[in-house]
Amino acid sequence: MKKALNKVRDKFFEKIHGNNLVYNTCWEDPKVDRILLELDKDSEIVMITSAGCNALDYLLDDPKHIYCIDVNPRQNALLNLKQSLFKNGDYNALFKMFGVGQYRHAQELLEESLKDLMPTAASDYWEEKIAYFLPKKNKKSFYFRGTSGSFAWVFKIYLDSSKKARKLVDALLEAQSLEEQQEIYAELEPSIINKVTKWLMDRHVTMSMLGVPHPQRQLIRDGYPGGMSGYIRDNLKHIFTELPITDNYFWRLYITGRYTKTCCPNYLKEENYSFLQGKEECISTHTTYISSFLKRKPGQYSHYILLDHQDWLASHDVAALEEEWMLILENSKPGTKILMRSAALEIDFIPDFVLEKVSFDKGLTAKWHKTDRVGTYGSTYLGTVK
């Protein structure tokens, strides 16, 4: 019965995400990544695309090339659109579209310039979806689009329904010290962690909209005291009371639907725009699986950034998990770094043959994991090929 239910849940998850843009922004902290990865001009990186924000952030370390891989072509199209906004040389348009989340001239800009600066598949997608950037009565931001964005929009409506909660959230975002954050959050927490929200957190449809598949939810339920709602409660408290909010652009975006010039990803900062222009050509996108990419383009890559997708592989396809690791090791060299995250506090699915050839520095990652401004993962792993 449980196996059948899990199949239904997986089908539902695939139905929600199969034909949609899932992630409109990255939910991994590149500040932590760049400290752990130690990128340089010789780095050749194989990574999962997600929303492409972090690939652009890594360009600040001037790597040789970044291969962005995603099985969802819409995620690659999103990165291609961002690349085109560097190619056309219009910082104002870049910040309006991806900083503010809306640009009333987006349609004209696409037709006049951007579509010729993207691969055909990406330009075709944006000709159909460019309205995501046009201000609408309800969803006034691109960041309220896609499946995870739709949930952010619902969360905003929920906050706006209470004048007290919205006032406290706005005050929290402007707090200038941890003491001030702690005082405000203590008053705000009952509004965002209560019987209604706890019930929603434990619902399959809610987590599916957030892009969290069933295997990851099960890892949390099995390994965290208080289950999913306890996990979210404790993570939110950590984020908002133990880490400075002033540069936490992840949660500012989620709460407001936009960034500011002083609180945004590095690729959106005006002082980085001229440096990144031209370097966007160092990123190539590939719509496939990591294993398929490595079979088609073997090499001695210096870095792999796997995000959290191995949580799903460990639950659904152990053979594919092992194949991916074998191909990673075949296409690595001594010193190659492998960065991955998990919903679990600790994982036990890394194959033995990997542990023989890769050393994992738990102390280092535990230290930096605590500083991660996103705060939604249970653990971070950095492996180095021996």
Side-chain angles (χ1 to χ4, degrees):
M1 181 66 181
K2 185 177 180 181
K3 189 175 181 180
L5 179 61
N6 287 342
K7 283 186 177 180
V8 171
R9 287 169 172 163
D10 291 338
K11 287 289 183 184
F12 181 77
F13 184 86
E14 291 171 11
K15 184 72 175 177
I16 288 179
H17 295 295
N19 298 305
N20 293 298
L21 179 71
V22 181
Y23 304 107
N24 50 33
T25 189
C26 287
W27 276 84
E28 294 81 25
D29 191 341
K31 184 177 180 180
V32 171
D33 293 2
R34 289 169 64 194
I35 290 169
L36 294 174
L37 293 171
E38 299 179 309
L39 304 173
D40 59 33
K41 63 182 179 61
D42 296 318
S43 298
E44 289 191 85
I45 306 160
V46 174
M47 65 178 291
I48 295 176
T49 307
S50 185
C53 320
N54 288 2
L56 292 167
D57 200 293
Y58 303 151
L59 286 180
L60 293 172
D61 290 321
D62 203 20
K64 184 176 181 180
H65 199 86
I66 302 176
Y67 300 91
C68 285
I69 300 159
D70 209 298
V71 72
N72 186 341
R74 300 157 197 86
Q75 300 299 149
N76 285 331
L78 178 55
L79 174 52
N80 294 149
L81 178 59
K82 292 174 179 177
Q83 289 174 285
S84 74
L85 284 159
F86 282 96
K87 292 175 184 176
N88 86 325
D90 189 342
Y91 170 76
N92 181 61
L94 172 71
F95 194 82
K96 286 286 182 65
M97 292 178 72
F98 289 105
V100 180
Q102 59 172 258
Y103 185 42
R104 61 190 179 94
H105 299 302
Q107 182 74 55
E108 298 95 311
L109 182 63
L110 178 71
E111 294 299 328
E112 294 170 6
S113 173
L114 301 185
K115 71 177 184 179
D116 294 329
L117 300 174
M118 291 186 279
T120 302
S123 63
D124 288 348
Y125 176 76
W126 289 113
E127 282 193 296
E128 182 182 343
K129 298 294 186 181
I130 198 64
Y132 279 178
F133 295 95
L134 303 179
K136 301 292 184 180
K137 183 178 180 181
N138 293 321
K139 293 188 177 182
K140 295 183 178 181
S141 171
F142 163 72
Y143 294 109
F144 294 142
R145 301 290 183 171
T147 51
S148 59
S150 294
F151 191 84
W153 178 62
V154 171
F155 183 62
K156 180 181 182 298
I157 291 173
Y158 173 76
L159 288 176
D160 289 346
S161 67
S162 167
K163 289 183 179 180
K164 179 183 177 181
R166 174 47 69 181
K167 184 178 179 180
L168 287 168
V169 165
D170 291 343
L172 180 64
L173 291 174
E174 301 306 318
Q176 298 300 306
S177 68
L178 287 180
E179 291 77 12
E180 190 179 356
Q181 288 176 215
Q182 291 160 5
E183 183 179 338
I184 296 169
Y185 190 75
E187 193 173 354
L188 174 64
E189 188 179 51
S191 296
I192 56 177
I193 305 293
N194 51 48
K195 288 182 179 180
V196 173
T197 57
K198 284 180 180 179
W199 183 85
L200 286 171
M201 291 171 198
D202 286 327
R203 302 280 72 78
H204 177 69
V205 65
T206 305
M207 292 297 109
S208 292
M209 286 183 69
L210 289 170
V212 184
H214 173 258
Q216 286 190 314
R217 298 196 299 277
Q218 198 59 50
L219 284 170
I220 295 168
R221 288 195 183 104
D222 291 345
Y224 198 86
M228 180 62 73
S229 60
Y231 178 82
I232 294 174
R233 178 199 64 221
D234 292 347
N235 281 348
L236 289 178
K237 188 170 184 178
H238 169 70
I239 292 161
F240 292 122
T241 67
E242 297 179 33
L243 301 175
I245 197 68
T246 49
D247 71 341
N248 196 326
Y249 62 79
F250 303 96
W251 286 96
R252 175 176 289 277
L253 177 71
Y254 199 78
I255 292 169
T256 67
R258 62 175 294 169
Y259 298 112
T260 67
K261 286 286 183 75
T262 57
C263 189
C264 64
N266 281 321
Y267 81 93
L268 288 175
K269 293 182 177 179
E270 191 167 9
E271 62 264 32
N272 293 328
Y273 188 75
S274 59
F275 179 84
L276 292 175
Q277 275 190 293
K279 293 190 184 299
E280 82 283 341
E281 296 285 358
C282 295
I283 298 175
S284 57
T285 54
H286 308 264
T287 302
T288 186
Y289 296 94
I290 287 177
S291 291
S292 301
F293 170 82
L294 293 174
K295 289 176 184 177
R296 190 175 71 246
K297 191 173 177 59
Q300 295 293 290
Y301 299 105
S302 63
H303 295 82
Y304 291 86
I305 303 169
L306 306 179
L307 304 188
D308 59 344
H309 86 285
Q310 288 203 346
D311 283 354
W312 190 91
L313 286 178
S315 175
H316 284 75
D317 197 339
V318 174
L321 174 75
E322 292 179 348
E323 180 187 40
E324 182 172 287
W325 274 113
M326 284 189 285
L327 285 162
I328 286 173
L329 292 176
E330 288 173 10
N331 291 278
S332 296
K333 55 190 176 182
T336 289
K337 295 182 184 295
I338 304 164
L339 180 66
M340 55 191 290
R341 289 175 166 90
S342 176
L345 298 179
E346 189 169 355
I347 60 175
D348 60 2
F349 55 69
I350 297 176
D352 289 340
F353 70 84
V354 175
L355 297 176
E356 293 173 2
K357 297 181 179 180
V358 179
S359 59
F360 289 89
D361 191 334
K362 291 185 178 181
L364 179 65
T365 50
K367 171 188 172 181
W368 290 108
H369 179 75
K370 292 177 182 178
T371 71
D372 191 301
R373 293 169 291 179
V374 180
T376 56
Y377 288 103
S379 54
T380 301
Y381 287 81
L382 179 71
T384 303
V385 176
K386 300 174 183 177

